[in-house]
Amino acid sequence: MMERRTLLQAALLAPWLLPAVARGAACATPGWADALRRDLDAMADELTRTLHPWPVPDKVFVPEAYGLRPGEPATAAIRRAVDACAAAGGGVVRLAQGDYVSGTIDLRSGVMLEVAEGARLLASTDLKDYPERRARRPTVQDSNMGMNQSLIFAEGCTRVGVRGKGLIDGRGTPANFPGEETTGATPGRPFLIRMLDCSRVVIADVRLKDSPCWMQNYLNCEDLIVDGIHVENQANHNNDGIDIDGCRRVIVRNCFISAEDDALCFKGASQRPIDQVLVEHCRLYSTCNALKFGTDSQGDFRNVLVRHVEVGGPAADMRAMKRRKADGGISWESVDGATVERVLVHDARIVRAESPLFLRLGDRGRVRPEQARPQPGRLRRIVFDRITGSDNGRRGSFFTGVPGHAIEDVLLRDVDLPMTATTEPAVRQQDIPEAPAEYPDPHMFSTVMPAYGLWTRHVRRLTLQRVRFTTTDPDPRPMLLAGPDADSPCTP
């Protein structure tokens, strides 16, 4: 029998809800949320109006004109074409047809690398073809990951990008690039694209497949457009889809991403703020976190609007190295001192996620070795509005800070998420450790959390409006449960 518990019915299982339900009309939409929606809509309009691909000169440079011979590696000829393009004031370096096998390609200002329809850029499988490119400005990523090799690399460039209807294949299988799954260093497994301290960056239309490590890393870039790309990164460990770190004025739209690790991940290892971000009309699938800020969270993350997206685990007809369900659907985390605020997700569908929603304010404090350990940051003014989904798992969503550092000002409105019921015992909330320095992921505590819908701890000023989690079979857990140091949610 279908079990569809309303918020009032859930209150019978969660007595702390009753006072909030009883006061009803006294709990209006918080004023900050209405102002945030207006501000972020205006931001999106301004980004859409002003942030466009840079005008690429119509000069075309092909590797075949710079010494490329059939059957030979293309690295040197592509590099010569890039240098000639830059010297001529910019233009297109076009891989026009067939296969181009290459090691590291260093892009320069004014250069658009184009992989034309019918062409393939194939990453060399010889690690010696990827000389190290150490960042001129060291960041936490350098001290933590120890990864300085890439197929396509740019640093300090303006007007740079990759486009085309062709394919870039990293050929990043463990047979070609072995390595262990890790939350730290990934030596010997290059990124496919890495751009540092660049401005006016365009990544458009191209298909990207099977990187040895992260697919893309954009660190401390301004005016970044990622539009219409298709990413399938299901070949190796740590196969993120896109990692955007400390960037300002960003549009990600019309993208399909299927990733073994995080699909669209924002980070703060650059120790620069992420500000003014629009994500729209994307499908993001992952067996880790489909949409995420973290774990590296040293730089602030604010003024972010996500709309009209589907996120979650890969469907049965997609390639996948691991489990089909995502660990987390939408995961916002601050564990290294960052302020995460003014983030709105609306009109999103969450599918095949064990924990559709996850908020974590922690105290890992990871910075560069010579830097002082920061205090915990802040996680506040977060909105989830018009969220639906299907085929989600049994763990449940949860929001948790740490003692003395609560998550603040969260609104869930018009949320309707079906979950899978469990007959297994749930972890008791008194048995859930605080674990302030633990790596933050939705699986960090238990496979079955205390509520099948939402459990909260160390959360202040949580507002729920027309929020419903449902199960198709009976589940012994309450739909909603507030743990220690969590305000009873305001539920009109």
Side-chain angles (χ1 to χ4, degrees):
M1 177 181 296
M2 176 76 68
E3 180 179 330
R4 301 182 67 86
R5 295 177 185 161
T6 66
L7 199 58
L8 185 58
Q9 288 169 330
L12 300 177
L13 295 175
W16 54 264
L17 267 176
L18 289 174
V21 171
R23 67 176 180 259
C27 182
T29 300
W32 64 263
D34 289 336
L36 178 62
R37 178 60 185 266
R38 291 191 297 271
D39 290 348
L40 293 186
D41 280 346
M43 177 201 75
D45 290 344
E46 193 271 341
L47 285 174
T48 301
R49 180 177 56 83
T50 62
L51 185 53
H52 301 291
W54 52 275
V56 183
D58 59 6
K59 291 171 287 187
V60 176
F61 302 79
V62 295
E64 289 81 0
Y66 293 88
L68 178 61
R69 298 180 182 276
E72 292 184 352
T75 309
I78 294 174
R79 289 176 179 171
R80 287 192 288 268
V82 168
D83 290 344
C85 180
V92 177
V93 172
R94 178 173 295 153
L95 310 186
Q97 59 184 349
D99 292 347
Y100 299 77
V101 179
S102 181
T104 297
I105 300 167
D106 296 287
L107 295 185
R108 297 176 60 183
S109 293
V111 174
M112 176 65 71
L113 178 64
E114 180 178 288
V115 185
E117 187 171 11
R120 298 193 304 173
L121 173 58
L122 304 179
S124 169
T125 57
D126 189 342
L127 195 61
K128 293 193 296 293
D129 291 332
Y130 300 89
E132 287 199 339
R133 298 291 184 262
R134 293 188 174 272
R136 295 194 289 264
R137 184 179 61 82
T139 69
V140 177
Q141 183 170 322
D142 302 287
S143 58
N144 177 56
M145 287 198 71
M147 183 64 258
N148 303 291
Q149 294 167 288
S150 309
L151 176 62
I152 298 170
F153 181 78
E155 183 174 23
C157 295
T158 183
R159 296 177 297 110
V160 68
V162 180
R163 72 182 188 189
K165 299 292 186 179
L167 171 68
I168 303 177
D169 188 345
R171 303 197 287 181
T173 62
N176 291 332
F177 297 94
E180 297 297 322
E181 183 174 18
T182 175
T183 60
T186 57
R189 291 193 281 130
F191 301 144
L192 212 70
I193 300 174
R194 190 170 191 227
M195 298 191 179
L196 314 179
D197 299 329
C198 294
S199 62
R200 303 194 73 183
V201 178
V202 175
I203 311 294
D205 300 325
V206 72
R207 294 176 59 219
L208 305 172
K209 180 183 177 184
D210 293 352
S211 175
C213 194
W214 295 1
M215 182 63 77
Q216 305 164 79
N217 177 213
Y218 306 100
L219 185 146
N220 189 40
C221 295
E222 294 193 358
D223 293 343
L224 168 64
I225 300 172
V226 182
D227 192 351
I229 67 172
H230 185 285
V231 176
E232 189 177 353
N233 208 20
Q234 292 278 0
N236 211 321
H237 303 301
N238 304 102
N239 264 187
D240 288 19
I242 306 179
D243 291 271
I244 296 174
D245 190 320
C247 298
R248 276 90 48 209
R249 286 177 48 87
V250 176
I251 294 177
V252 180
R253 63 160 62 105
N254 304 322
C255 295
F256 172 92
I257 300 171
S258 175
E260 177 272 340
D261 210 325
D262 303 326
L264 173 54
C265 184
F266 296 92
K267 292 180 177 291
S270 66
Q271 299 183 294
R272 303 293 171 88
I274 294 177
D275 197 359
Q276 299 187 62
V277 175
L278 172 63
V279 179
E280 60 182 358
H281 305 297
C282 291
R283 292 184 292 157
L284 310 170
Y285 306 107
S286 166
T287 51
C288 195
N289 296 277
L291 177 59
K292 173 180 172 182
F293 175 74
T295 63
D296 275 310
S297 44
Q298 298 83 4
D300 294 341
F301 179 68
R302 56 170 55 95
N303 296 318
V304 177
L305 175 60
V306 180
R307 61 190 183 188
H308 308 297
V309 298
E310 180 172 273
V311 304
D317 60 352
M318 298 179 194
R319 287 173 56 210
M321 286 186 63
K322 296 182 180 178
R323 60 187 181 273
R324 290 288 170 180
K325 283 188 168 54
D327 196 11
I330 302 174
S331 303
W332 303 139
E333 310 163 358
S334 174
V335 296
D336 301 311
T339 293
V340 177
E341 64 182 357
R342 297 175 55 81
V343 181
L344 167 61
V345 180
H346 74 76
D347 294 284
R349 180 172 169 80
I350 303 176
V351 297
R352 299 179 295 276
E354 290 291 347
S355 291
L357 304 174
F358 174 62
L359 300 181
R360 173 59 167 170
L361 177 59
D363 188 20
R364 180 179 63 175
R366 182 164 72 187
V367 289
R368 288 184 56 78
E370 70 274 14
Q371 296 173 331
R373 191 180 191 280
Q375 293 295 310
R378 304 189 74 175
L379 182 55
R380 61 186 181 182
R381 302 210 165 179
I382 307 295
V383 176
F384 298 102
D385 192 3
R386 297 199 297 274
I387 310 296
T388 61
S390 65
D391 194 22
N392 290 303
R394 61 179 184 166
R395 183 189 299 127
S397 298
F398 62 103
F399 305 161
T400 178
V402 292
H405 300 276
I407 298 167
E408 304 171 290
D409 297 321
V410 180
L411 170 64
L412 277 65
R413 179 169 54 200
D414 293 316
V415 173
D416 190 351
L417 285 170
M419 303 296 299
T420 300
T422 184
T423 58
E424 296 183 14
V427 62
R428 300 185 306 168
Q429 55 180 338
Q430 60 266 36
D431 294 334
I432 299 175
E434 297 290 351
E438 185 173 329
Y439 188 94
D441 256 334
H443 66 258
M444 64 189 299
F445 295 131
S446 176
T447 58
V448 183
M449 292 298 283
Y452 71 81
L454 176 63
W455 175 70
T456 63
R457 179 176 66 179
H458 308 302
V459 178
R460 302 294 187 200
R461 298 181 298 280
L462 169 64
T463 300
L464 307 180
Q465 297 182 333
R466 299 176 297 280
V467 171
R468 180 176 62 173
F469 296 87
T470 60
T471 58
T472 55
D473 296 300
D475 192 304
R477 298 171 293 171
M479 182 177 78
L480 304 167
L481 185 62
D485 188 33
D487 291 346
S488 294
C490 191
T491 54

